[in-house]
Amino acid sequence: MYYDFDEIIPRRNTRSYKWDSTDDDRVLPLWVADMDFRTAQPVVDALARRVQHGIFGYVRVPDEYYAAVTGWFARRHGWHIEREWIVYTSGVVPALSVIIKALTRPGDGVVVQTPVYNCFFSSIRNNGCRVVTNPLLYEANTYRIDFNDLERKTADPSVKLMLLCNPHNPAGRVWSRDELRRIGEICRHNGVKVVADEIHCELVYPGHTYTPFASIDESLLQNSITCLSPSKAFNLAGLQIANIVSCDEAVRQAIDRAININEVCDVNPFGIEATIAAYNEGEEWLTQLLDYLKGNYNFMCRFFRTFLPQIPVTKLEGTYLVWTDCRALRLDSDTLQARLLEQAGLWLNSGTMYGAEGEGFVRWNIACPRSVLHEALMRFRSFVESLSANR
């Protein structure tokens, strides 16, 4: 089946968080990480069948759900997940929060690699823990890990966890097997458990390979917990479903207690049906999506090289979130975001949302029809040219 990702599907006035968080109809929102594409037809069909039943009470998670999840990761990624390792919950952010609650005490340190997804910070602080940063090193329009710093930070006995983002949001890195192994060895040596947020794992481009952290070897499997969801890859974020994977029964029991304390133990019938359909029948759609997203990224890079060469575009190995280095504009990120919204009607994310290391950068969500991306780029270009003219 052919999917038309160029189709404009109006989202304004649909209670969309992305589109309806402003009353200004001229605003183009390329900020929050959901896509402006209709999801795979098998998912739509499965949800339609569920709607036709007309009763939406409490549900049990069926065997088919676990089979869909385990089958997908075995087929696509060679990772054999046992059914009993899976604990379902309502989202990856709630998952991160309950894992931190289960495995730390207030005052403990949790390592993050900045710039990084902003909810990492809130999940740590909401559980009374300390954010410990292992800043990524920005070189040649990409990022690498400062392993010496990671060794120093994890050697602190008060540091108990590391939140690993793979693929990394917003840096766009898909960490290699060797990089992941070294992270794992450092953390295991220092008694630090790795919590791998792999929500973007399907959004990886040619030349790069997603490696599930827990699949590398038995020691890393034993010393890690993985958070997964079909929400980013299949545009299902509003259906509120995710999975926590741990082979350690004691860890799962602690997480289950925390899930009940946080009261995020129930999922909805639509999330279950969508997950089954996406993992069993959505691969063709995902293949076409990745090709389109890569085309969007290439289009964006050509635009910047031609019209805005002073603004580097970070290399994108995975996700649909593009990180641009705007320091040449001599505006701090928050001011740049505000002025783009006010003067150009373009809503991007300020880099400082992702930590102090994001200063001078902005994040773009390119999961939209190419014509929308082109309009956003034209607005950005006009803003930059106006900025230069007025200096």
Side-chain angles (χ1 to χ4, degrees):
M1 178 178 179
Y2 168 73
Y3 291 97
D4 183 9
F5 294 103
D6 285 318
E7 180 186 4
I8 304 292
I9 303 170
R11 297 189 64 192
R12 195 164 269 122
N13 301 317
T14 64
R15 300 183 181 87
S16 163
Y17 186 70
K18 180 179 181 180
W19 284 84
D20 291 330
S21 291
T22 175
D23 295 327
D24 188 344
D25 287 349
R26 76 189 179 99
V27 169
L28 275 184
L30 273 67
W31 61 300
V32 68
D34 72 16
M35 297 189 279
D36 292 332
F37 306 129
R38 187 177 287 113
T39 192
Q41 192 61 44
V43 175
V44 175
D45 293 342
L47 294 175
R49 289 192 297 270
R50 189 66 184 82
V51 167
Q52 286 302 310
H53 183 258
I55 300 174
F56 312 116
Y58 300 117
V59 294
R60 297 184 66 85
V61 176
D63 291 343
E64 292 88 342
Y65 176 89
Y66 296 99
V69 174
T70 58
W72 176 270
F73 281 90
R75 287 193 313 275
R76 278 186 70 89
H77 307 300
W79 183 23
H80 296 278
I81 302 171
E82 301 294 335
R83 171 186 167 145
E84 61 267 21
W85 297 354
I86 299 174
V87 180
Y88 60 79
T89 188
S90 58
V92 165
V93 173
L96 295 171
S97 181
V98 299
I99 293 166
I100 294 169
K101 182 182 292 293
L103 301 181
T104 66
R105 295 180 179 179
D108 285 346
V110 180
V111 173
V112 298
Q113 294 179 306
T114 49
V116 74
Y117 178 47
N118 52 296
C119 286
F120 279 17
F121 303 113
S122 57
S123 292
I124 294 167
R125 290 169 178 149
N126 288 346
N127 284 286
C129 292
R130 295 180 293 108
V131 174
V132 178
T133 62
N134 168 226
L136 298 174
L137 302 174
Y138 181 67
E139 297 173 353
N141 300 339
T142 192
Y143 284 88
R144 64 179 179 87
I145 297 167
D146 186 340
F147 287 106
N148 291 331
D149 181 73
L150 182 62
E151 288 178 342
R152 287 193 298 271
K153 299 292 175 59
T154 55
D156 180 344
S158 71
V159 171
K160 303 300 183 184
L161 296 178
M162 175 180 177
L163 301 189
L164 172 69
C165 193
N166 183 39
H168 191 96
N169 168 21
R173 280 296 318 276
V174 177
W175 304 118
S176 70
R177 178 178 288 269
D178 287 345
E179 288 170 316
L180 294 172
R181 185 184 296 279
R182 190 166 177 193
I183 289 171
E185 290 170 350
I186 289 170
C187 288
R188 183 170 52 82
H189 176 75
N190 288 303
V192 173
K193 279 197 178 295
V194 176
V195 182
D197 174 359
E198 299 182 357
I199 194 172
H200 292 277
C201 66
E202 306 306 335
L203 301 168
V204 174
Y205 302 112
H208 305 281
T209 302
Y210 155 66
T211 302
F213 182 85
S215 73
I216 294 174
D217 64 35
E218 183 67 21
S219 68
L220 301 194
L221 171 66
Q222 294 289 337
N223 196 52
S224 66
I225 303 98
T226 302
C227 299
L228 303 165
S229 174
S231 61
K232 294 303 179 192
F234 291 95
N235 206 25
L236 307 175
L239 298 185
Q240 301 291 308
I241 195 158
N243 296 297
I244 301 168
V245 180
S246 171
C247 71
D248 187 320
E249 185 178 359
V251 168
R252 291 198 306 274
Q253 288 176 352
I255 290 170
D256 189 63
R257 286 195 298 273
I259 283 175
N260 282 275
I261 291 168
N262 281 16
E263 297 180 342
V264 288
C265 49
D266 291 322
V267 292
N268 70 77
F270 300 106
I272 294 169
E273 298 300 331
T275 299
I276 294 170
Y279 284 157
N280 286 346
E281 305 174 75
E283 199 155 7
E284 180 183 12
W285 179 89
L286 180 61
T287 298
Q288 294 182 41
L289 169 74
L290 289 170
D291 184 64
Y292 191 87
L293 290 174
K294 181 63 174 176
N296 270 3
Y297 175 69
N298 291 339
F299 177 82
M300 182 176 183
C301 289
R302 288 193 298 270
F303 188 95
F304 272 83
R305 282 197 303 268
T306 303
F307 300 109
L308 299 163
Q310 73 275 33
I311 300 177
V313 178
T314 299
K315 295 174 184 176
L316 189 67
E317 300 174 359
T319 84
Y320 51 72
L321 304 165
V322 181
W323 192 238
T324 55
D325 181 355
C326 298
R327 288 176 291 182
L329 301 182
R330 291 181 290 162
L331 294 174
D332 66 80
S333 290
D334 289 346
T335 299
L336 177 57
Q337 179 194 39
R339 289 183 60 177
L340 279 168
L341 185 59
E342 178 184 357
Q343 298 172 25
L346 178 59
W347 196 342
L348 306 178
N349 285 120
S350 167
T352 52
M353 284 183 62
Y354 310 101
E357 292 76 14
E359 182 58 84
F361 292 75
V362 294
R363 192 189 79 167
W364 300 64
N365 173 355
I366 64 167
C368 58
R370 199 154 299 155
S371 60
V372 175
L373 178 60
H374 181 251
E375 172 63 20
L377 292 168
M378 291 297 290
R379 293 187 188 193
F380 189 81
R381 175 189 175 188
S382 294
F383 172 83
V384 172
E385 289 174 348
S386 173
L387 193 67
S388 299
N390 290 325
R391 280 184 172 156

